[in-house]
Amino acid sequence: MAISQVDYFFLFVISYVLVGLLTPLMRKIALAQGILDRPNSSHKSHKKPVPYLGGIAIIIGVVIVSYIALISTKFTWSNFWLATSVLGPAVVMGLVGLWDDLKSLRPLPRFIGQSIAGLFVAVFLVVNNNIGNPTGITGLDISITVLWIVGICNSINFFDNLDGGASGTVAITAITLTYLAIIGDQYFIAALSIVIAGSTLGFLIWNRVPARIYMGDAGALFLGVLVATLTVRFEPETESSFGSFVIPVLLLAIPILDTTVAVLSRLRRKTSPFQGGRDHLSHRLVRSGLSRRISAVILWSLTGLFSIFAVLISLPNNGYELIVILVALFFWLLFFIFFFRTRVS
């Protein structure tokens, strides 16, 4: 069933306002309970303790608005279970992240939790033929989907290392996905994406430089699973199947770049990829002399650039899909070389 532009507008505004109001409440709770991100390790870049629980505001906002929208329209159990199949694993992963925020989990149990969530989503999507671009080989489809969900979940989590960096980037990705889903008549994906956009921008009010609250692993892992799942379900309108596989990668090109640079940098220094460090894109930008605010704007701008590439590929009968992909790859490799060669400390 189609959704009107007015409906999308209200979904965005309600999500924005709700999370914008919930976030300071969560900040008060975090301060009262001492749930703080303390600068007690070398990879922390902030100087004073900053409260967590911003991710809980995002989770509550996305879930409440999504289910209210379901109930207020022509409710069906099929739509309810469809929404739950996407939101459920993301909420579970968010709770694992909250546990990590409170107890500081080791990388292994966190990775196991992500893998279980990824496996559940992958099996459900493949069995119900809900993958946007299947290969036709069940085992391969499940493997690719698990790898994508776990990989993006970690990328968003790693990328959340600068005030406003992750929340702004996810918002831009979600807005672009909303547009692509609308023109592709994929209204379920468009509706959830616009709710994510409104929620992350509502949170950004409090998370922009200087951040008064962090989303923590709860928010990063929740958004990671949710965005990864929606991009897997999305079926772009492109000239070739290769182009349709590339679009989700372009939408998340900057978090992927951040993870690639950080992991390869740590392997080069013979340190664990799972060990925290000040070797992410944001850290390198700040060390080059840029302010934290300008660094965040640059990361948002790069996300916008690759989002434009994704939109160009999706244009009907454009005739230059391969050229756009090659140009996007050139820029990605150029940014990789630039960031990888900048000093770590």
Side-chain angles (χ1 to χ4, degrees), residues 205-226:
I205 298 172
W206 304 92
N207 183 237
R208 66 180 188 272
V209 180
R212 286 168 282 179
I213 188 171
Y214 291 158
M215 71 169 69
D217 285 356
L221 297 182
F222 171 79
L223 291 173
V225 172
L226 197 52

Side-chain angles (χ1 to χ4, degrees), residues 15-25 198-199 201-203 205-206:
S15 303
Y16 178 84
V17 172
L18 180 58
V19 175
L21 293 175
L22 283 174
T23 301
L25 175 61
S199 298
L201 288 176
F203 172 71
I205 298 172
W206 304 92

